[in-house]
Amino acid sequence: MATDVTRTRLLDAAEQLLTTTPYEDLRLRAVCAQAGVNPAAVHYHFGSREALVTALLQDRLEPFWAAALDELAHGRATVREIVDAILAPLARLRDDPVAASLLKLLGRFVLARPDLPWTATWFQTQAWVAILTSATGVDDATARRRWRFAFAILMTELSAPTPPSVAAVDALGDFLTAGLSAPLSTAPLATAPTD
């Protein structure tokens, strides 16, 4: 029980500090001091600063997506429904300063570290691959590539200095839907003419 309390205090402290401190400047001693715990607590509970922030992002942000995505994963969803489920929470989160800072952190963090050890279902690539192959019939490798591009675009938008506007989110939804649901190309890529 005390372990769960300490873990929660560390997550709360990291969240509070990250609203004013960039990830690169976040010090584990400051997190432990803010949480009022032993300086070694972060290493005991998370192992590293990166793992602490990974846990924080999953803990705070997954609840905004999990229920809707779980429901879509159990049925036959369209690509637009999947994209809408991803983008719908952005409007709510954009208006909450703490959530907006976490979204910005998520974007910057994922772009800089694309292979993080996520444990939450909707932070793992395979869940996205499965839902896209079910919706479109593309193979796993194609679904993986499409999600890599889609999430790079989404994370770039989230990491912008200001949260995306409603119009930008709408345009992003159209763009992601088109890219994720595009027909498979059977034509070879054209090569540039040489002089």
Side-chain angles (χ1 to χ4, degrees):
M1 181 68 146
T3 300
D4 291 341
V5 170
T6 301
R7 184 180 190 283
T8 300
R9 289 171 70 184
L10 288 166
L11 291 173
D12 291 345
E15 179 179 35
Q16 187 175 19
L17 289 169
L18 285 165
T19 61
T20 58
T21 305
Y23 168 77
E24 297 76 18
D25 296 335
L26 182 68
R27 300 292 172 248
L28 296 182
R29 286 190 178 276
V31 173
C32 291
Q34 181 78 20
V37 299
N38 181 305
V42 169
H43 290 290
Y44 175 79
H45 289 277
F46 301 100
S48 68
R49 176 178 66 165
E50 184 176 90
L52 168 68
V53 174
T54 300
L56 172 67
L57 291 169
Q58 290 178 129
D59 184 76
R60 299 307 198 258
L61 295 175
E62 187 182 39
F64 290 101
W65 284 280
L69 291 169
D70 287 346
E71 187 175 316
L72 290 175
H74 295 301
R76 181 87 173 154
T78 66
V79 172
R80 187 62 202 211
E81 289 171 330
I82 298 165
V83 169
D84 287 346
I86 295 168
L87 298 179
L90 296 184
R92 291 192 318 266
L93 295 171
R94 177 181 56 231
D95 297 330
D96 176 346
V98 173
S101 72
L102 287 174
L103 285 174
K104 185 176 178 180
L105 174 62
L106 176 67
R108 292 181 63 232
F109 200 64
V110 169
L111 287 172
R113 296 159 195 79
D115 297 320
L116 291 165
W118 302 106
T119 57
T121 300
W122 292 107
F123 281 77
Q124 297 176 356
T125 305
Q126 193 51 43
W128 295 102
V129 169
I131 199 170
L132 187 59
T133 57
S134 175
T136 63
V138 298
D139 61 89
D140 282 9
T142 300
R144 190 174 301 279
R145 276 191 302 277
R146 288 181 180 189
W147 278 123
R148 186 178 69 236
F149 294 136
F151 281 118
I153 293 164
L154 178 60
M155 294 304 123
T156 300
E157 288 299 311
L158 292 180
S159 64
T162 58
S165 67
V166 172
V169 171
D170 289 343
L172 181 60
D174 294 340
F175 190 80
L176 293 178
T177 300
L180 291 169
S181 61
L184 289 173
S185 174
T186 57
L189 293 175
T191 56
T194 58
D195 292 331

